[in-house]
Amino acid sequence: MDIKGNKPLPGGQVRGLVLDWAGTAIDYGCMGPTAVFVAAFKHFNIEIDISQARQFMGLAKKDHVRSILQLPEIADRWHKKFDRQPTEEDVEKVYAETEPRMLSAIANHCQLIDGLSEFVAGVKKMGIKIGSSTGYTRSMMDVVMPIAADQGYQPDTVLCSSDVPAGRPFPWMCYLNAIRLQVYPMSAMVKIGDTLSDIEEGRNAGMWTIGLTRSGNELGLSRQETETMPADQLRERLQTIEKNYQACGAHYVAAGIWECLPIIEEINQRLANGDTPDGVNR
């Protein structure tokens, strides 16, 4: 095996994927975690809205709490309530309310997203291994994985933010996926996710990236809500999400996992032509 640098091997092709979970593989609209953050903050009589709860989705859950507390408007509410700025001790207190609520809530939001099973079958026929990364902790994934498995979804690896030194946007989960999948170079891997932090994670790891606009957190609507939204309004929102992904460095954008198999085939062709995720032809 040629191990000199992050370049495609002769006749290179995609050999491994790293899929996010909520909003990408399960839980259309990434609905499960959102209400949990709202409820956890409400326990301390601090009101946050859904957009604030969604803003940091994809991060490790404790980092998510910390980031919400760092929002100027939330820090101001905390100061007015407790006569001081939020501290790391407060992060721990809010997170302590978050985790048990999350364990209860996510069990009801594990339905596979339509098209996932067909996508998995397609990439397996291509000899591609399937890894995964998530902002959920291991205890949370202990709830999610059996329910997903009962529906037929069992990725080859499952890496959590609690398995590595730091979660997204750091690339550690992607690197550990590559190690466990025994895939090299990183340019032979694709990260698929529904948040900006997913794209940052994949880019930081030197992978191809696909951002999902319709099924995940960035739109933040259930399937029924997307189907009943006026077409022009939905189109405008999806276009904005696509622009945000592109600004973040996404190589590709798709509505959902159901559109991703042709993209994998296109990346295979680009690898065969010597292209790499950094845009340098080798």
Side-chain angles (χ1 to χ4, degrees):
M1 177 184 290
D2 182 353
I3 58 171
K4 296 179 181 179
N6 185 30
K7 63 182 180 181
L9 303 176
Q13 63 177 16
V14 175
R15 299 179 56 227
L17 307 176
V18 178
L19 272 64
D20 178 48
W21 279 82
T24 296
I26 62 171
D27 187 11
Y28 193 111
C30 197
M31 309 302 286
T34 310
V36 171
F37 288 109
V38 173
F41 275 87
K42 191 172 184 178
H43 178 80
F44 296 91
N45 295 312
I46 302 295
E47 297 292 331
I48 69 170
D49 61 33
I50 295 297
S51 64
Q52 290 164 333
R54 285 193 178 277
Q55 187 171 342
F56 305 103
M57 205 69 74
L59 299 183
K61 294 300 172 268
K62 189 176 291 185
D63 291 338
H64 195 143
V65 169
R66 184 179 295 109
S67 297
I68 292 174
L69 281 170
Q70 290 173 349
L71 288 171
E73 60 271 31
I74 304 304
D76 182 60
R77 290 172 198 171
W78 195 275
H79 184 272
K80 289 178 179 177
K81 177 66 179 178
F82 298 105
D83 199 29
R84 58 179 171 77
Q85 291 297 312
T87 65
E88 191 62 22
E89 182 179 353
D90 296 320
V91 172
E92 296 290 343
K93 289 178 180 178
V94 177
Y95 181 72
E97 286 294 322
T98 301
E99 180 154 1
R101 295 171 188 268
M102 196 73 71
L103 290 171
S104 176
I106 60 179
N108 298 317
H109 294 85
C110 293
Q111 179 67 36
L112 299 190
I113 291 175
D114 288 348
L116 176 70
S117 297
E118 292 79 3
F119 173 79
V120 168
V123 297
K124 284 188 174 180
K125 285 183 180 178
M126 300 164 71
I128 298 172
K129 298 176 182 179
I130 301 175
S132 64
S133 68
T134 178
Y136 286 151
T137 62
R138 180 58 59 180
S139 60
M140 296 172 191
M141 288 308 298
D142 286 343
V143 174
V144 170
M145 289 188 295
I147 301 174
D150 285 345
Q151 300 171 76
Y153 180 53
Q154 291 182 284
D156 298 306
T157 58
V158 178
L159 274 299
C160 307
S161 56
S162 54
D163 295 329
V164 292
R168 300 167 184 150
F170 291 94
W172 313 134
M173 285 189 288
C174 289
Y175 288 160
L176 191 51
N177 266 286
I179 292 169
R180 293 188 178 178
L181 295 173
Q182 299 184 48
V183 171
Y184 182 86
M186 297 304 293
S187 60
M189 296 188 70
V190 181
K191 174 63 201 288
I192 305 176
D194 61 286
T195 67
L196 298 180
S197 62
D198 281 300
I199 303 305
E200 292 171 339
E201 176 189 30
R203 290 302 307 244
N204 288 340
M207 299 167 64
W208 300 92
T209 56
I210 305 174
L212 306 182
T213 62
R214 185 163 177 154
S215 68
N217 178 73
E218 297 304 303
L219 183 61
L221 299 175
S222 69
R223 181 172 184 138
Q224 181 179 3
E225 288 171 328
T226 63
E227 291 173 348
T228 56
M229 176 177 284
D232 56 344
Q233 184 179 346
L234 177 61
R235 182 169 55 253
E236 182 178 347
R237 290 189 61 179
L238 292 176
Q239 288 173 345
T240 298
I241 295 167
E242 181 172 351
K243 289 177 182 177
N244 290 339
Y245 277 138
Q246 292 171 340
C248 198
H251 295 93
Y252 295 92
V253 176
I257 196 71
W258 59 87
E259 289 187 354
C260 288
L261 195 57
I263 297 176
I264 302 302
E265 294 170 346
E266 181 175 335
I267 293 173
N268 272 341
Q269 185 59 55
R270 291 181 65 177
L271 285 169
N273 293 338
D275 290 347
T276 61
D278 62 10
V280 177
N281 185 286
R282 311 205 188 228

